[in-house]
Amino acid sequence: MTDEFRGYETAPWQLCWRGLAVDQLQRTESTFALGNGHIGVRGTLEEGEPRGLPGTYLNGFYEEHELPYAEGGYGYPEAGQTVVNVTDGKIIRLLVEDEPFDMRYGQAVVHDRTLDFRTGTLTRNTEWISPTGRHVRVRTQRLVSFTQRAVVAIRYEVEPLDGDTQVVLQSDLLANEPIESDTSDPRVAAALQNPLENEFSFAEGYRAALVHRTRRSGLRMAAAMDHLIESPDGLRTTIDVEDDLARLTIAVDVPHGKVLRLTKFLAYGWSAQRSIPALRAQVDAGLAGAVQTGWDGLLAEQKAYLDDFWDTADIQVDGDPELQQATRFALFHILQAGARGESRAIPGKGLTGPGYDGHAFWDTESFVLQVLTYTLPEAARDALSWRHSTLDKARDRAAQLGLRGAAFPWRSINGAECSAYWPAGTAAFHVSADISDAVARYLAASADEEFERGCGTEILTETARLWMSLGHFDSHNRFRIDGVTGPDEYSAVADNNVYTNLMARRNLREAAASCTRLPEIADRLGVTEQEIAKWRDAAARMFVPYDEELQVHPQSEGFTEHLDWEFANTPMADYPLLLHYPYFDLYRRQVVKQADLVLALHLCGDSFTPEEKARNFAYYEARTVRDSSLSAATQSVIAAEVGHLDLAYDYLGEAALTDLHDVHNNVRNGLHMASLAGAWLGFVAGFGGMRDHDGELTFAPRLPSNLDRLEFRMCFRGSKFAVEIHADRATYRLLDGKPAEITHHGTPCTIGESPVTLPIPELHPGTAPRQPVGRIPSRRQPERLRPAQGLPQP
């Protein structure tokens, strides 16, 4: 079929693509992915073909491979970890009068796919005329359950439109699915080639199960399927099983006007320790629960769960329909990445694709957990509990590096460092402070003493010990942290990175405060009063470089003395720079891959004056090229704070639409969770001006000229409230719980039973900052949109 427009329709609560664009399948398979933090399934068609990149993932399930080194060195990680495409249960093949239902053949009169953010389902509607002229309607709907963690469910309906038709369905469990890997590393490709070894196969009636084990990492996973069939008379079924395939075949003559309806239930589980019978019992129990609940029950549970989520987390944007859609899309995928992770990591791509090998980065704590802390705090707690569960590995890594405390990895699946590039990996010690920052934020926002006793104090303590071991007092009695890499990966192994030093200072202070609050936990961890005093002294004397001549903070010591990058002579085709220039040249120039010092202005904003923020932002705007998807959101937040609201609006659009517009041309490998979180940050921390320094909430709301109104919701210490922003005023409204104490543009107020409306003071920003040549963010043009066609609206 032809499709005049190749893109998504704009609707507030849905993402819809009409028509079939085969060359865009990898992209839409990522955006239409479903997950719950435990299971992730890419949005491939049920028939299995045509396809871009199939994928079914279990959080934390990986295979090992050797790491590539041209020349090794002491302390280099030895083993890499790569997420595995596990047993695919999405496949339901259809034959119509012995002709395979394949969208590349015949004619698709109608075809659309819709991801619904309120029901948590992906729906497909197709009317297809086969090459020999048979006309059928196929409707599918799938979900990954938020309420039943192990469960995926699919409903598949076939309706003949031109007479009685013989229909055959083949419902599969398929392991070791053939995939063309696009990795350039032959070690990774080899690890992903048939990574699963069969240990058990079973099939009987409508039910089947397969148990497999990875060849090197030794992890075991099980997948099982069961079915309910609503059919005309004359149904015939057979079920077969092999090592890597279980298949239920259904054949029946469907009269014109009747429907063959198949409901497929799937259950997944994995373990590093449980036996084959135990794991099989786990998925059997998951299936039993799903079948007992039924399709309608699963749908009702899914919608109820999402109703509760949106009641706490929704953001309403008036004046930009595309940004409204993108924001809810972002929040929905953040929810899918973390809702049921339950002491597992939140990978950089969530469970939407194999990008970054399925690794978790510091993106989780510094971006994603900010969102979850104030919208779904139990998910933030789970993600931080995973970090705590990996403390032994972090201690071992620190010891290997000759340090005390815990050195958390830059990238990992199981908690062990697996970055083969040590300047960006090993030297990025800021990760440990980022994790501690997220712990402190969660504790302040939740008052969760149980978590602090069980996990929080220990994380804060071990990371504080790392900084005392890594840093030292110099001859001026300043505490220095030398030879580290900050968030900007174009400046590696530098001395006194301002972001790292300020985050380490906060880490030391938070560790001292937690140990003082809980002396019995401190005693168990061997923390003495003398150690706490040393933490506080190091924090008080932390060296924060400042360039008196330029009146800005150098990103790291000496950074402002480097040569500037010649942006005017850099072709646009040479971005991202790391793919076209040697790292050593980037390291010795004033060129910034992603917000670094500017990120410090946000997360450690209480360490800068307003004037310093404005000067620093302008200075680094002229040097930041945004070769990382992490950058735009932070630039949006600080642009809003210093008064450049329309620039903030443009950066927010870039962050929120990174995946829907495929800004970095890599959505095929999965979505960018941190950039999706950036949509929330741009609205709440940017235009809402929300800050949480010292555990207190403050707001300084302002609107850009393109928006008519903004409202966001959040929870804090058991209170749920909404903030509504207009050009001249803001209203704070308590939705549930006890009154909340906040500050509005410096004025303390209480959000209580009655809404509080306060004026927004005028702002007079200085000269607009300039960006490097060709790196200005795209202007937002919300009027150039494709309206939804026939989609139900709220």
Side-chain angles (χ1 to χ4, degrees):
M1 68 180 292
T2 60
D3 185 25
E4 294 179 359
F5 183 88
R6 291 155 60 82
Y8 304 104
E9 293 182 344
T10 303
W13 286 102
Q14 298 172 321
L15 186 72
C16 178
W17 185 297
R18 293 188 189 276
L20 179 71
V22 174
D23 63 332
Q24 296 295 308
L25 283 176
Q26 287 190 350
R27 173 184 170 194
T28 57
E29 286 163 359
S30 294
T31 56
F32 287 147
L34 295 177
N36 62 9
H38 170 57
I39 306 168
V41 297
R42 282 175 61 81
T44 48
L45 295 170
E46 283 77 11
E47 297 77 33
E49 295 181 17
R51 68 181 192 184
L53 179 65
T56 302
Y57 310 107
L58 296 177
N59 196 346
F61 192 83
Y62 66 91
E63 181 60 306
E64 291 182 348
H65 57 86
E66 295 178 358
L67 284 174
Y69 295 108
E71 185 174 339
Y74 177 79
Y76 283 19
E78 296 178 359
Q81 302 159 11
T82 298
V83 65
V84 172
N85 175 35
V86 299
T87 306
D88 190 351
K90 302 185 301 296
I91 299 173
I92 303 174
R93 304 185 194 277
L94 167 64
L95 290 89
V96 178
E97 295 286 354
D98 203 33
E99 287 188 285
F101 177 82
D102 189 321
M103 299 283 291
R104 294 166 295 188
Y105 303 98
Q107 181 184 5
V109 181
V110 173
H111 180 67
D112 61 73
R113 306 186 80 200
T114 302
L115 180 66
D116 192 304
F117 312 141
R118 289 175 297 186
T119 63
T121 58
L122 175 64
T123 301
R124 183 270 296 272
N125 289 288
T126 302
E127 287 188 22
W128 181 72
I129 300 175
S130 73
T132 57
R134 301 314 304 266
H135 194 180
V136 295
R137 178 184 291 123
V138 176
R139 185 177 189 273
T140 68
Q141 194 172 21
R142 74 173 70 156
L143 63 85
V144 176
S145 177
F146 289 119
T147 55
Q148 300 191 30
R149 182 173 181 255
V151 171
V152 179
I154 303 170
R155 174 155 282 188
Y156 195 104
E157 299 178 343
V158 184
E159 179 185 359
L161 298 179
D162 64 347
D164 299 353
T165 303
Q166 185 192 66
V167 172
V168 176
L169 293 179
Q170 295 173 320
S171 177
D172 290 358
L173 281 179
L174 176 62
N176 289 318
E177 191 171 18
I179 294 179
E180 292 184 11
S181 174
D182 61 359
T183 179
S184 59
D185 183 354
R187 298 170 182 83
V188 177
L192 296 179
Q193 187 68 33
N194 296 321
L196 301 173
E197 291 183 320
N198 179 268
E199 293 189 310
F200 175 80
S201 302
F202 165 83
E204 184 177 61
Y206 295 166
R207 179 175 289 209
L210 298 176
V211 179
H212 285 81
R213 189 180 183 94
T214 53
R215 298 176 189 277
R216 292 193 55 176
S217 63
L219 304 181
R220 176 177 288 129
M221 61 85 50
M225 67 178 180
D226 202 350
H227 304 80
L228 295 176
I229 305 170
E230 300 172 59
S231 165
D233 294 338
L235 178 72
R236 294 176 62 86
T237 66
T238 58
I239 193 161
D240 300 289
V241 66
E242 303 170 8
D243 284 352
D244 290 343
L245 174 68
R247 170 172 293 163
L248 173 67
T249 301
I250 300 164
V252 67
D253 292 329
V254 182
H256 178 232
K258 298 294 183 180
V259 175
L260 170 62
R261 181 178 294 116
L262 172 70
T263 305
K264 183 175 186 177
F265 301 99
L266 297 162
Y268 287 92
W270 76 269
S271 176
Q273 298 179 332
R274 286 199 294 277
S275 65
I276 295 171
L279 208 54
R280 181 191 169 191
Q282 178 184 341
V283 294
D284 282 348
L287 275 184
V291 173
Q292 191 276 332
T293 304
W295 173 258
D296 291 340
L298 288 171
L299 281 179
E301 289 180 355
Q302 194 85 335
K303 187 177 187 306
Y305 185 96
L306 283 162
D307 285 346
D308 287 343
F309 173 72
W310 292 117
D311 190 50
T312 302
D314 191 28
I315 295 178
Q316 298 175 27
V317 183
D318 291 354
D320 191 333
E322 185 183 41
L323 202 51
Q324 174 68 87
Q325 178 189 48
T327 301
R328 287 182 175 138
F329 170 83
L331 284 168
F332 179 72
H333 274 290
I334 290 294
L335 173 68
Q336 291 198 129
R340 301 300 305 274
E342 297 176 11
S343 299
R344 297 290 176 193
I346 297 177
K349 294 285 191 179
L351 298 174
T352 65
Y356 306 137
D357 287 326
H359 294 166
F361 296 76
W362 64 283
D363 311 14
T364 297
E365 284 75 23
S366 291
F367 294 86
V368 177
L369 291 197
Q370 287 197 65
V371 182
L372 292 176
T373 293
Y374 295 113
T375 59
L376 194 68
E378 57 268 30
R381 174 185 170 130
D382 284 343
L384 292 170
S385 295
W386 171 73
R387 287 292 192 185
H388 181 262
S389 74
T390 68
L391 257 177
D392 284 346
K393 290 185 175 67
R395 289 190 188 98
D396 290 345
R397 181 63 173 158
Q400 185 183 27
L401 299 173
L403 301 169
R404 294 186 66 224
F408 283 100
W410 184 62
R411 61 186 301 167
S412 182
I413 294 178
N414 74 349
E417 179 64 78
C418 52
S419 169
Y421 186 61
W422 68 267
T426 298
F429 288 101
H430 69 86
V431 175
S432 293
D434 300 330
I435 292 166
S436 293
D437 180 58
V439 168
R441 176 177 296 106
Y442 170 75
L443 291 175
S446 67
D448 186 346
E449 185 177 336
E450 180 185 4
F451 175 81
E452 185 172 17
R453 287 180 175 277
C455 301
T457 303
E458 188 172 14
I459 292 175
L460 294 169
T461 294
E462 295 298 346
T463 48
R465 286 169 170 164
L466 174 74
W467 298 117
M468 296 304 297
S469 178
L470 189 64
H472 69 280
F473 289 96
D474 64 12
S475 58
H476 302 285
N477 206 22
R478 304 172 303 185
F479 192 78
R480 301 174 56 91
I481 303 175
D482 295 333
V484 300
T485 300
D488 172 31
E489 293 150 21
Y490 287 173
S491 298
V493 196
D495 295 342
N496 297 297
N497 171 259
V498 169
Y499 174 84
T500 301
N501 284 20
L502 290 177
M503 293 290 280
R505 180 166 74 183
R506 174 171 294 173
N507 190 166
L508 291 163
R509 289 173 173 168
E510 292 290 350
S514 186
C515 286
T516 301
R517 283 193 299 270
L518 300 172
E520 69 279 13
I521 304 299
D523 184 63
R524 178 173 63 81
L525 297 173
V527 179
T528 64
E529 290 292 335
Q530 292 77 12
E531 187 174 19
I532 292 174
K534 289 179 180 178
W535 293 346
R536 287 178 170 147
D537 186 45
R541 300 178 185 278
M542 187 68 68
F543 178 38
V544 181
Y546 186 73
D547 189 319
E548 296 287 351
E549 181 179 352
L550 294 174
Q551 292 192 304
V552 297
H553 289 82
Q555 181 172 281
S556 54
E557 193 173 6
F559 180 85
T560 52
E561 299 172 22
H562 293 176
L563 283 174
D564 272 314
W565 187 268
E566 296 182 1
F567 294 110
N569 296 325
T570 303
M572 289 301 297
D574 282 0
Y575 290 97
L577 298 178
L578 76 163
L579 299 182
H580 300 93
Y581 298 90
Y583 267 116
F584 83 87
D585 205 16
L586 297 170
Y587 289 165
R588 62 196 184 99
R589 304 278 186 147
Q590 290 192 61
V591 56
V592 181
K593 179 182 181 183
Q594 64 203 68
D596 186 310
L597 192 284
V598 174
L599 183 60
L601 300 180
H602 176 200
L603 297 182
C604 302
D606 50 347
S607 297
F608 303 88
T609 68
E611 294 76 18
E612 287 173 341
K613 289 179 182 178
R615 291 196 300 269
N616 280 324
F617 179 71
Y619 188 85
Y620 288 96
E621 270 292 281
R623 291 159 176 82
T624 302
V625 295
R626 301 195 317 288
D627 281 350
S628 166
S629 61
L630 295 181
S631 196
T634 299
Q635 289 172 268
S636 175
V637 169
I638 301 304
E641 180 175 359
V642 301
H644 303 295
L645 296 173
D646 290 340
L647 177 62
Y649 175 68
D650 292 339
Y651 276 134
L652 172 56
E654 182 176 306
L657 292 159
T658 288
D659 292 319
L660 292 179
H661 286 183
D662 202 2
V663 171
H664 297 272
N665 194 33
N666 59 5
V667 169
R668 64 187 179 277
N669 286 321
L671 305 181
H672 298 77
M673 290 300 127
S675 191
L676 293 172
W680 186 93
L681 289 168
F683 281 120
V684 176
F687 298 136
M690 189 277 285
R691 298 293 185 273
D692 51 14
H693 304 315
D694 295 322
E696 301 299 325
L697 280 190
T698 63
F699 294 87
R702 298 186 189 280
L703 273 192
S705 59
N706 294 74
L707 297 184
D708 303 321
R709 173 185 167 275
L710 169 65
E711 180 179 311
F712 58 83
R713 298 177 170 215
M714 58 188 297
C715 57
F716 181 72
R717 295 177 187 169
S719 300
K720 184 190 303 181
F721 58 88
V723 180
E724 182 180 359
I725 307 170
H726 294 264
D728 60 347
R729 68 192 186 280
T731 299
Y732 301 88
R733 189 171 73 253
L734 186 67
L735 302 173
D736 190 38
K738 60 186 180 181
E741 303 296 327
I742 60 122
T743 298
H744 168 88
H745 282 287
T747 301
C749 71
T750 301
I751 307 176
E753 293 183 4
S754 300
V756 179
T757 300
L758 299 169
I760 294 176
E762 290 188 13
L763 181 66
H764 302 285
T767 303
R770 62 184 178 88
Q771 292 78 34
V773 176
R775 307 310 287 169
I776 299 171
S778 299
R779 294 293 300 167
R780 293 285 300 122
Q781 296 177 306
E783 69 279 1
R784 296 179 62 185
L785 301 174
R786 183 194 188 199
Q789 299 177 7
L791 288 178
Q793 302 301 315

